[in-house]
Amino acid sequence: MVRGLYTAGTGMQVQTRRMDIISNDLANSNTTAYRKDYAVVESFDEVLIKRLDGINEGPWDYKDLGTVSNGARIADIYTDFRPGNLRLTGISNNLAINGEGFFRVTTPDGERLTRDGSFAVNGNGDLVTSEGYPVQGKDGPIQLGRNFFDQGREMKVLPDGKVVLGTIVLNTIDLVTVDDLQALGREADNLFDPTGQQLNPVNSLIEQGYLESSNVNPVNAMVDMITVSRAYEANQRMVQIHDELIGKAVNDVGKG
């Protein structure tokens, strides 16, 4: 009975964590290029149960009763890197990757990757993320120059990543990927940490004037929330049943 109580308790913990993940996905369903997470659930290692016979007769005789699991747990969080839909904005600083890969940006904590192309041009004429992190090109940061605003010209980004100002090619946006996407560390500001992995170039196209939508389907997420809620309620009911059984064992069976 006590084992069943703990098994149902671990089930409640799993469903609580799954609900947190789904809620976070729903909250970011309108976040540019956000990637959905999945909880990978596994059972604890099974334990072999034995029965002890012949204590008074000796020697002791152990008989196998079979195996039992002590519940479930969250083994890992899997990120779905399938691309979202591209939506037209018409803003020249908005860039979307049509295919695999990431933009490289530089943060105070080191180099990071992102697919969020809602960029801006700061006062120095540098192409930066919405948080102010410089966007990297093959020849260093993308710099349009201090006189970018005075010239009144519009930045043009070709499908191959070349950044053109007037007739001059200033740089080429560097698109990269890694061998193991699941090894990327998710961080705030829609960034991924590639520490420990080799960055490989990709030949994906860049769409100027577009942004990539989140790959979260709100309808599916709501269905998942209902499923998780019902699973939690079932485990909660099992906890109550086991608690009642233990109470009867202590109060009724014990008196007999």
Side-chain angles (χ1 to χ4, degrees):
M1 287 185 291
V2 175
R3 182 179 293 112
L5 185 67
Y6 286 122
T7 300
T10 60
M12 292 174 65
Q13 291 178 329
V14 165
Q15 302 308 326
T16 298
R17 184 72 180 103
R18 288 184 63 196
M19 182 65 75
D20 291 340
I21 293 171
I22 296 171
S23 299
N24 184 63
D25 287 342
L26 271 176
N28 287 280
S29 60
N30 292 321
T31 299
T32 302
Y34 176 82
R35 290 295 178 263
K36 176 181 174 61
D37 282 332
Y38 292 94
V40 180
V41 182
E42 69 175 9
S43 61
F44 286 102
D45 294 337
E46 292 188 342
V47 179
L48 180 63
I49 303 298
K50 294 177 177 290
R51 184 180 67 188
L52 183 60
D53 288 338
I55 298 179
N56 297 327
E57 300 174 2
W60 291 357
D61 182 21
Y62 294 94
K63 293 185 177 181
D64 293 343
L65 296 180
T67 58
V68 64
S69 174
N70 289 318
R73 62 183 173 185
I74 300 293
D76 198 5
I77 304 298
Y78 172 83
T79 302
D80 184 358
F81 282 96
R82 287 178 295 181
N85 297 323
L86 302 187
R87 55 184 177 86
L88 177 65
T89 65
I91 301 174
S92 61
N93 293 336
N94 291 166
L95 305 178
I97 301 174
N98 189 351
E100 65 173 339
F102 300 86
F103 299 106
R104 290 172 50 228
V105 300
T106 302
T107 74
D109 297 323
E111 190 170 72
R112 297 294 185 265
L113 306 181
T114 185
R115 285 184 63 97
D116 184 352
S118 53
F119 300 138
V121 180
N122 65 14
N124 295 323
D126 301 331
L127 188 66
V128 297
T129 66
S130 54
E131 291 76 27
Y133 305 137
V135 180
Q136 295 295 316
K138 295 184 182 299
D139 298 322
I142 307 293
Q143 298 175 328
L144 305 178
R146 290 179 178 270
N147 59 352
F148 167 72
F149 300 101
D150 298 333
Q151 294 176 348
R153 297 177 178 176
E154 186 175 275
M155 175 188 70
K156 185 175 182 180
V157 179
L158 303 181
D160 62 359
K162 289 185 175 63
V163 180
V164 181
L165 194 60
T167 59
I168 301 175
V169 177
L170 301 178
N171 206 332
T172 301
I173 295 176
D174 194 16
L175 299 182
V176 298
T177 188
V178 295
D179 293 329
D180 185 4
L181 293 175
Q182 295 305 319
L184 291 173
R186 184 190 282 273
E187 297 185 349
D189 301 328
N190 222 354
L191 301 177
F192 293 93
D193 182 2
T195 301
Q197 295 208 71
Q198 180 178 347
L199 300 182
N200 305 315
V202 294
N203 295 319
S204 299
L205 300 179
I206 294 181
E207 304 286 351
Q208 186 176 20
Y210 287 81
L211 287 177
E212 182 181 357
S213 301
S214 164
N215 65 355
V216 176
N217 185 316
V219 175
N220 291 341
M222 290 298 296
V223 173
D224 290 341
M225 290 187 79
I226 295 172
T227 302
V228 169
S229 178
R230 290 177 177 174
Y232 182 90
E233 292 173 355
N235 281 284
Q236 185 181 40
R237 179 55 182 159
M238 290 304 300
V239 169
Q240 295 173 345
I241 291 173
H242 282 287
D243 181 61
E244 293 172 1
L245 290 175
I246 293 173
K248 289 183 179 180
V250 172
N251 297 321
D252 299 337
V253 179
K255 292 179 180 178

